[in-house]
Amino acid sequence: MPDGAIEPKKGRKFDQVLAGARSVFLSDGFEGASVDDIAKAAGVSKATLYSYFPDKRFLFLQVAKAECCAQAERAIATIDMNAPVHEVLYQAAREIGDFITSEFGMRVFRVCVGEGARFPELGQQFYESGPLLVRDRLTEYFDLAISKGEMQIDDCALAADQFNELCRADLFPRMIFNMTDTFTDAEKHRVAQGAVEVFLAKYGK
C-alpha cells in the first residue's frame, strides 16, 4: 500500500482526476465513494485513474493534501503582513476558522479521525499539509513581528500552536461532536476576535 511519503505520478489528466475525486468525496464521504463514481466524475477511465492513484485511500490522501495546501496558500496570499499586528492576526484567525468549518475541512478531518487507526498516514498527511503548515507560516510571521518590535515571544512554535487552538475555540468541539455543520459569520467573528485579544494580552507589546 502506498503511504504519504510516496508522490503520485503526474500527467495530463492528474488535476482532472483530483477534481473529480474531490467532488465525490465531498458528496459521498470516504467510505461511500466508489472508484467507478470518481472515474465518472473525472471523465476518465478506471485504467487512467489507477495509472495515477493505485487505490482510493492514496487518492483521498492526495486530495486532502492538495486542498489543505491550496487553502493555506490562498490564506497567505490574502493577508497583508505589513498591516498592524492585530489585523494580521484577525485575518489569520478568520482563515483558520473558515477552513475548519468549511464543508471540505469538516469532512476531511472526520475521515482522517475515522480512518486513523487503520491508516495512520492519513492523519499524518493531514497534519503535515494542514496544521503543521499553518504553524510554520505563523512562526514566520511572529519572527517578522518580533523583529519590528510588535510582539515579544520566546517560543514561536508554541505560540503558533496556542494561537491555532484559540482560533478553534467553540467551533471545533461543536464540529467534531457533530453538534452542527453550519456556523454563522458572527460566530466565527466572535471566536477570531477573542483569539486575537487573548493572544495579544500575552504576547503583544
Side-chain angles (χ1 to χ4, degrees), residues 5-185:
I6 298 175
E7 289 298 320
K9 185 187 78 173
K10 299 294 178 71
R12 184 169 57 89
K13 296 187 176 181
F14 178 83
D15 292 336
Q16 188 175 328
V17 173
L18 273 187
R22 183 187 186 281
S23 67
V24 175
F25 284 133
L26 273 178
S27 63
D28 300 339
F30 179 77
E31 288 295 341
S34 72
V35 173
D36 287 330
D37 289 340
I38 293 172
K40 182 178 180 180
V44 299
S45 67
K46 286 176 65 175
T48 297
L49 189 152
Y50 280 126
S51 72
Y52 293 117
F53 306 99
D55 61 40
K56 186 176 73 169
R57 175 171 58 103
F58 188 55
L59 175 54
F60 176 82
L61 195 152
Q62 295 304 318
V63 169
K65 178 181 178 180
E67 185 69 15
C68 288
C69 289
Q71 290 271 3
E73 292 304 323
R74 282 196 295 269
I76 294 165
T78 60
I79 297 176
D80 179 5
M81 295 300 181
N82 294 312
V85 64
H86 67 277
E87 292 183 14
V88 174
L89 291 177
Y90 177 79
Q91 292 177 56
R94 286 303 304 262
E95 291 290 347
I96 292 171
D98 286 342
F99 178 70
I100 65 173
T101 59
S102 68
E103 184 181 10
F104 185 86
M106 288 188 286
R107 281 192 179 275
V108 73
F109 179 82
R110 287 168 179 165
V111 169
C112 286
V113 171
E115 300 292 328
R118 287 191 297 159
F119 309 128
E121 67 270 26
L122 282 176
Q124 178 183 345
Q125 186 69 67
F126 178 73
Y127 177 76
E128 291 177 353
S129 59
L132 184 60
L133 192 58
V134 170
R135 176 208 255 191
D136 291 343
R137 295 298 185 268
L138 285 172
T139 300
E140 290 173 6
Y141 173 70
F142 293 158
D143 286 337
L144 175 64
I146 291 169
S147 70
K148 294 165 64 177
E150 297 175 331
M151 304 185 78
Q152 184 173 335
I153 303 174
D154 293 326
D155 188 335
C156 289
L158 175 61
D161 290 337
Q162 291 170 334
F163 183 71
N164 189 37
E165 291 301 318
L166 288 170
C167 297
R168 295 146 62 95
D170 183 46
L171 305 174
F172 188 71
R174 286 196 286 149
M175 181 275 286
I176 194 174
F177 292 116
N178 292 303
M179 295 174 64
T180 182
D181 281 341
T182 58
F183 299 86
T184 67
D185 187 72

